[in-house]
Amino acid sequence: MILNVDFSSDTPLYQQLRDQIVVGIAEGKLSPGEQLPTIRALAEESGINMMTVSKAYQLLKQEGYITTDRRSGARVAATGRVTVSDTVRKELKVRISELRLSGLSKEEILALCAQVYEEGETQ
Amino acid sequence: MTKLILWGSVIWLAPLLCYMLVNETKSKKNIILGVTLPAEGRSDPAVEEETKRFRRNEWTVCALLILLGVLAMLPVFHDVSMTLWMIWIDLCIVLPYIPYVLSRNKLLKIKEERGWKRQDQTVKVDTAAWQEPKWLSPWLFVPPFLLALLPVFFDRGMWPVYLIDALCIIFFWFGYRYLYSTRSEMVDGDTGLTQVLTRIRRVRWGRVWLFTAYSMAALNIAFYLFSLNKGLGVALFVTITVFICVIALQMEMKMRQLQEKLTASSGKEDYVDDDEHWIGGIFYYNPNDRRSIVNHRIGLNTTVNLASGLGKVMIVMSIVLLLGLPFFGVWMDHMGSSEITVSAEEGEVSFRSGMTHYEFSKESIQEVTLLEELPQDLRRRFGTAMDTYLEGDFVSDEYGRMKLLLDPTVSPWLLIRTDEKLYLFGTREGQLTRDLYVTLSE
């Protein structure tokens, strides 16, 4: 999987890493059990501070997307239902509100969600 | 003779540097003259025309530098030859880059006009391409370390020199391990290609440092042989040095060839482009990159990120070194003609030249001999050896170790044996030396 790190973006770097890995897992670009670069390696590859990479990995681990091991480093967690956190629920609420304010109906929002979901599946 | 050796040691710098830059006109990792171009761009007539012009200009610069190098050897410049040589080395480092930067700027303009510049300026990381680096064991550096120490057993008097050289081999291991960026050699989205490029670079990087370690051990042994036999030592020194240069060049060019071959069909769709972080295609400056050491874009070498603290220190040191070279030449020229004064008053004898000063009491003198010819096999251990100035610790088969301060072109010379040491002195005026001989003989 190719990670794109945008230093000029307003999104924090750890968030960019976390988001892309989550999308990568959802789209099947990262398979369960697949080895991820170590914190040091990812910092070296991207030029990002190790603390920032560590923050992204900690977040992913807390959310259940990856597992970390002192020997084998970080791996994509085995598939299973990951609990939807309050943060995700809140974010979803904000996005849906934005779409409603854009003038989209419930059906149109659901159709858009289905479309984006299928795009991820076909990747 | 010294000047001829110096000339032979550096004159090849000009064609070598120009050749290395001309080699950059061949695409490696989608880069031509420091500019990333897509596959279609590399065969564009405007690009080909510019690279052709660059080659012409670069070889013209090379011819000019060689001409200047030959002129600097003329006897008319004898008194300032070292200064001229140091200025010449500065020119060799700077001048070949002028056509390089100019042509690079033109290629960047073509790239912009043709719309080849990648709009997406994100840093790309291929998670699948990442592999845990397999480093060479530090034990591999132990045999050259021991070899470098070997002469200590035969030549105990020079143990500091051998030890310093041996310790360098330990530093070589640190250089191998920590002066390399483990970042993947990504040129496009091809994971396999990234892995191959990364692996071959890492393996060859290890070979270079291991080769350097063994070369240092060989030079140490040559240094020891030099103290036994001047001819053999010099022959061995020259052979090893030429061998090191040839192998180093061969390693770099082989790496470039592989990069050229492996990436020949790359850049058709997506390609990695970080041109904007390379000032003039030479210096890496990226404040977003936390790394201080980065790999050169092509070949085997590494460089520093000028946005980092280490990078700033390195660039300041390099500028100081470049600007300081001519002054070093002035100092060397001055030393070659500096006055050698002597005094024999109040029971003390002293010889002085610049910062060098030898002093001993008259009472400690056991024997004074006036030599009309210098020992043929005089070999330097420490100090300075120029055509008109010898100073420091020397050795000869006939007299053994001795301290020297003399002009080898002005005879005679005084061989003074004291209770502790053996000295060989000579002033710049033969008569002054003869007068001193008479005074000391009394």
Side-chain angles (χ1 to χ4, degrees):
Chain A
M1 179 198 172
I2 308 284
L3 294 175
N4 292 287
V5 184
D6 188 354
F7 284 91
S8 57
S9 164
D10 291 334
T11 312
L13 295 171
Y14 79 90
Q15 192 70 47
Q16 290 184 37
L17 292 177
R18 180 260 173 206
D19 291 351
Q20 289 184 57
I21 290 173
V22 170
V23 171
I25 296 169
E27 291 180 349
K29 287 177 186 167
L30 289 170
S31 337
E34 188 174 327
Q35 172 93 53
L36 288 173
T38 60
I39 293 170
R40 184 185 290 275
L42 190 49
E44 180 74 16
E45 293 283 336
S46 58
I48 301 175
N49 194 315
M50 270 175 57
M51 298 296 284
T52 309
V53 179
S54 174
K55 196 173 175 181
Y57 272 25
Q58 275 175 14
L59 200 59
L60 287 162
K61 191 185 170 187
Q62 277 170 16
E63 292 169 342
Y65 295 116
I66 64 166
T67 57
T68 54
D69 186 290
R70 203 172 285 175
R71 272 189 198 166
S72 57
R75 283 184 186 280
V76 177
T79 41
R81 277 191 97 80
V82 176
T83 319
V84 179
S85 67
D86 286 346
T87 321
V88 174
R89 193 176 285 274
K90 277 178 192 165
E91 271 180 26
L92 190 60
K93 197 171 180 180
V94 174
R95 301 288 169 240
I96 289 172
S97 305
E98 283 171 356
L99 293 171
R100 281 174 70 184
L101 290 170
S102 305
L104 266 68
S105 66
K106 183 184 171 186
E107 287 70 30
E108 283 171 327
I109 293 171
L110 287 172
L112 184 63
C113 284
Q115 189 190 334
V116 173
Y117 185 91
E118 277 155 21
E119 276 173 12
E121 279 205 322
T122 53
Q123 289 286 326
Chain B
M1 185 61 184
T2 312
K3 289 188 173 73
L4 202 65
I5 291 172
L6 178 73
W7 192 83
S9 312
V10 295
I11 193 69
W12 49 271
L13 265 178
L16 178 69
L17 283 169
C18 292
Y19 170 69
M20 298 290 277
L21 289 176
V22 165
N23 179 265
E24 290 199 27
T25 55
K26 291 177 185 171
S27 168
K28 293 160 202 76
K29 296 168 72 182
N30 303 331
I31 300 167
I32 291 179
L33 294 179
V35 179
T36 310
L37 295 168
E40 58 168 312
R42 302 200 292 266
S43 53
D44 187 277
V47 172
E48 283 178 349
E49 181 60 34
E50 190 51 46
T51 52
K52 203 172 157 187
R53 186 183 296 128
F54 167 73
R55 280 196 289 269
R56 209 168 41 236
N57 292 342
E58 196 63 24
W59 289 124
T60 308
V61 167
C62 178
L64 178 73
L65 283 168
I66 291 174
L67 181 68
L68 288 173
V70 172
L71 289 176
M73 276 294 286
L74 293 178
V76 68
F77 299 123
H78 187 78
D79 293 340
V80 287
S81 59
M82 289 300 286
T83 311
L84 289 179
W85 269 114
M86 295 300 148
I87 294 171
W88 185 84
I89 290 173
D90 268 358
L91 291 175
C92 261
I93 295 167
V94 176
L95 283 187
Y97 280 99
I98 293 174
Y100 180 86
V101 173
L102 292 175
S103 287
R104 180 181 182 268
N105 288 344
K106 281 184 188 158
L107 286 184
L108 282 174
K109 207 174 164 190
I110 296 169
K111 182 179 172 180
E112 186 87 45
E113 284 168 0
R114 303 279 202 276
W116 294 328
K117 192 178 174 184
R118 233 190 59 200
Q119 297 306 312
D120 171 21
Q121 286 297 316
T122 58
V123 173
K124 294 185 183 303
V125 179
D126 189 344
T127 57
W130 176 77
Q131 297 162 305
E132 186 69 60
K134 285 178 187 163
W135 298 104
L136 290 179
S137 164
W139 290 106
L140 288 171
F141 288 76
V142 171
F145 174 75
L146 295 176
L147 271 176
L149 277 181
L150 203 61
V152 173
F153 297 102
F154 306 102
D155 187 12
R156 285 170 193 264
M158 293 297 287
W159 69 267
V161 176
Y162 301 125
L163 184 66
I164 289 168
D165 288 353
L167 288 175
C168 282
I169 292 174
I170 295 177
F171 284 111
F172 290 163
W173 183 81
F174 280 99
Y176 158 66
R177 185 65 185 78
Y178 298 106
L179 290 181
Y180 179 79
S181 168
T182 52
R183 189 178 202 168
S184 300
E185 298 278 295
M186 191 177 172
V187 289
D188 54 29
D190 185 342
T191 303
L193 179 61
T194 306
Q195 286 178 327
V196 171
L197 286 169
T198 309
R199 206 177 306 131
I200 55 171
R201 186 169 194 156
R202 197 183 297 143
V203 168
R204 280 164 191 274
W205 175 255
R207 280 186 203 164
V208 165
W209 285 97
L210 206 54
F211 171 73
T212 313
Y214 274 99
S215 301
M216 179 57 97
L219 281 172
N220 237 16
I221 291 167
F223 184 72
Y224 165 64
L225 292 175
F226 180 74
S227 70
L228 295 179
N229 185 307
K230 197 174 181 177
L232 178 68
V234 169
L236 212 58
F237 255 126
V238 172
T239 310
I240 294 171
T241 310
V242 170
F243 181 70
I244 290 171
C245 293
V246 169
I247 296 292
L249 182 65
Q250 191 254 342
M251 282 176 163
E252 170 70 13
M253 298 321 288
K254 185 70 191 167
M255 185 70 221
R256 287 186 179 203
Q257 271 174 17
L258 284 168
Q259 287 170 337
E260 184 184 335
K261 199 175 162 188
L262 288 164
T263 58
S265 56
S266 172
K268 283 179 180 152
E269 290 171 11
D270 197 16
Y271 50 94
V272 173
D273 179 359
D274 66 343
D275 286 356
E276 63 173 25
H277 299 132
W278 290 87
I279 303 168
I282 308 159
F283 304 109
Y284 183 69
Y285 181 86
N286 185 359
N288 287 327
D289 195 337
R290 307 289 297 185
R291 298 170 306 157
S292 298
I293 307 278
V294 291
N295 292 341
H296 255 298
R297 303 174 88 187
I298 60 163
L300 204 51
N301 215 345
T302 58
T303 185
V304 288
N305 180 3
L306 293 186
S308 70
L310 177 70
K312 287 186 180 84
V313 170
M314 292 293 283
I315 194 73
V316 168
M317 279 170 66
S318 305
I319 291 169
V320 168
L321 192 70
L322 272 178
L323 296 177
L325 270 180
F327 294 101
F328 178 70
V330 171
W331 179 69
M332 292 283 281
D333 280 328
H334 172 72
M335 193 158 44
S337 58
S338 65
E339 201 182 353
I340 301 171
T341 59
V342 58
S343 80
E345 291 169 354
E346 296 172 5
E348 290 291 318
V349 180
S350 77
F351 285 82
R352 200 182 288 269
S353 177
M355 292 170 76
T356 308
H357 179 215
Y358 296 117
E359 195 175 68
F360 47 87
S361 67
K362 277 184 185 172
E363 283 178 1
S364 67
I365 299 173
Q366 293 178 352
E367 187 187 359
V368 183
T369 316
L370 193 69
L371 300 181
E372 293 297 335
E373 280 186 6
L374 283 174
Q376 289 297 309
D377 60 344
L378 212 50
R379 279 122 41 207
R380 181 183 56 164
R381 311 294 302 270
F382 286 124
T384 312
M386 298 171 75
D387 285 344
T388 56
Y389 188 77
L390 298 179
E391 173 273 315
D393 200 356
F394 284 66
V395 67
S396 88
D397 290 340
E398 192 179 352
Y399 300 107
R401 284 180 69 168
M402 60 186 123
K403 296 279 184 193
L404 256 74
L405 181 59
L406 53 86
D407 178 345
T409 61
V410 181
S411 65
W413 300 276
L414 277 179
L415 186 71
I416 303 173
R417 189 179 297 279
T418 68
D419 294 339
E420 293 175 351
K421 285 174 186 162
L422 185 66
Y423 297 95
L424 186 55
F425 294 126
T427 61
R428 302 237 186 236
E429 292 172 47
Q431 191 53 47
L432 202 65
T433 312
R434 284 183 201 282
D435 292 346
L436 182 69
Y437 172 68
V438 173
T439 308
L440 295 179
S441 299
E442 284 169 358

